Amino acid sequence: MAALTALAEAHPELAPAVALERELFDGERRLLRRLGTPSLAGSPADLAERLAGGQRLAAWHELSLDWPEVRLRLRQVVDVLRRHDVIEHDDATRFQVLGRDGALVEASERWYDAPEAGSEDALGDVLAVTLRPFLTRTADVLLQRVQVDGWRRGTCPVCGGRAAFGVIAASGERHLVCARCQGRWPFDARTCPRCLVPDRLRVFAAMEGRYQVAACEACKRYVKALDVRKAGRPLFLPLDTVATLAIDQAIGQQGYSGD
């Protein structure tokens, strides 16, 4: 929270985005304090076998979700997004209704099982923020049971989500960070995680070297990464997402997409 405050003070133009992230992060932090350790099936050997077969570690039916907490979190997220004018009033009303009926479980399952499909409206974004703390706790448990060093896909080995960010470790190795569960896995720095085409990346540093951008000339998509050697700290997604909005704008003007 202090880091977000400092960012807003140093860059007043980012204050609205920081205020949004502060509220979302604070609610998520409070929820994580209430959540227990999820009960997840799968021995280390079973999980390693799934990875070897190209399967994600957590199928939908295996997730341990506290639905009263999910519904409460959805209402909170919708309220925050509406007050910050991120979603329209009609969408907010529709999502609040969804949170009170049985259709929420079905909608969440569709979202979870089709991470590449996107959404016709803002529902996908709302579900992503709502379910993130639950999926983060799931990833924490599973990644303690099995090594994912052999995973070579551009999607998350835990939940199948796409990478939101990357991290350049002290060793120089690149790790990707899942947008949905924040699980991490190593990935070849020369290969695009979106289209998996090797040796077509245009890589450059930004913001005094703290960040690295890998833009693919094959699919015209890009992934940002925090270089911990230059930043002197670990990745903190709420902070680094907002801090790099200028990078998104600049690279977008060159015809690349972060989606």
Side-chain angles (χ1 to χ4, degrees), residues 43-110:
S43 67
D46 291 335
L47 297 174
E49 185 176 352
R50 289 192 191 187
L51 291 177
Q55 301 178 43
R56 63 187 176 182
L57 296 174
W60 171 258
H61 69 275
E62 297 172 312
L63 296 177
S64 179
L65 297 175
D66 184 332
W67 284 102
E69 287 283 12
V70 172
R71 295 178 189 281
L72 174 61
R73 179 60 180 156
L74 184 141
R75 293 195 296 271
Q76 293 171 342
V77 167
V78 170
D79 178 63
V80 171
L81 295 179
R82 180 67 195 106
R83 285 190 286 102
H84 287 268
D85 294 322
V86 176
I87 57 177
E88 300 293 334
H89 173 77
D90 290 346
D91 283 337
T93 301
R94 179 162 57 94
F95 300 154
Q96 293 284 16
V97 171
L98 177 67
R100 292 192 293 269
D101 63 34
L104 175 61
V105 177
E106 182 181 348
S108 299
E109 181 177 3
R110 288 197 304 269

Side-chain angles (χ1 to χ4, degrees), residues 75-243:
R75 293 195 296 271
Q76 293 171 342
V77 167
V78 170
D79 178 63
V80 171
L81 295 179
R82 180 67 195 106
R83 285 190 286 102
H84 287 268
D85 294 322
V86 176
I87 57 177
E88 300 293 334
H89 173 77
D90 290 346
D91 283 337
T93 301
R94 179 162 57 94
F95 300 154
Q96 293 284 16
V97 171
L98 177 67
R100 292 192 293 269
D101 63 34
L104 175 61
V105 177
E106 182 181 348
S108 299
E109 181 177 3
R110 288 197 304 269
W111 168 83
Y112 186 79
D113 284 337
E116 297 290 335
S119 176
E120 295 180 0
D121 53 28
L123 179 58
D125 293 334
V126 170
L127 290 176
V129 179
T130 298
L131 293 173
R132 184 168 58 204
F134 303 92
L135 298 182
T136 298
R137 188 57 57 84
T138 297
D140 289 343
V141 171
L142 291 175
L143 291 176
Q144 291 179 28
R145 295 183 184 175
V146 63
Q147 296 292 323
V148 296
D149 293 351
W151 184 259
R152 293 292 179 262
R153 296 174 179 248
T155 52
C156 176
V158 176
C159 72
R162 295 186 297 184
F165 229 91
V167 174
I168 310 300
S171 63
E173 184 179 41
R174 178 174 72 166
H175 290 76
L176 299 179
V177 181
C178 179
R180 305 201 303 182
C181 73
Q182 298 189 14
R184 299 189 182 197
W185 68 103
F187 193 79
D188 180 22
R190 299 167 300 176
T191 300
C192 173
R194 298 287 193 258
C195 67
L196 303 181
V197 172
D199 301 320
R200 293 294 304 277
L201 292 178
R202 173 181 157 225
V203 181
F204 57 92
M207 296 186 175
E208 300 177 340
R210 293 191 303 276
Y211 297 98
Q212 185 186 97
V213 180
C216 181
E217 296 295 344
C219 68
K220 294 298 180 181
R221 287 179 285 188
Y222 71 94
V223 176
K224 299 174 292 185
L226 176 75
D227 190 332
V228 300
R229 300 168 298 184
K230 300 290 183 62
R233 61 170 176 82
L235 177 73
F236 177 43
L237 271 178
L239 173 68
D240 292 302
T241 299
V242 175

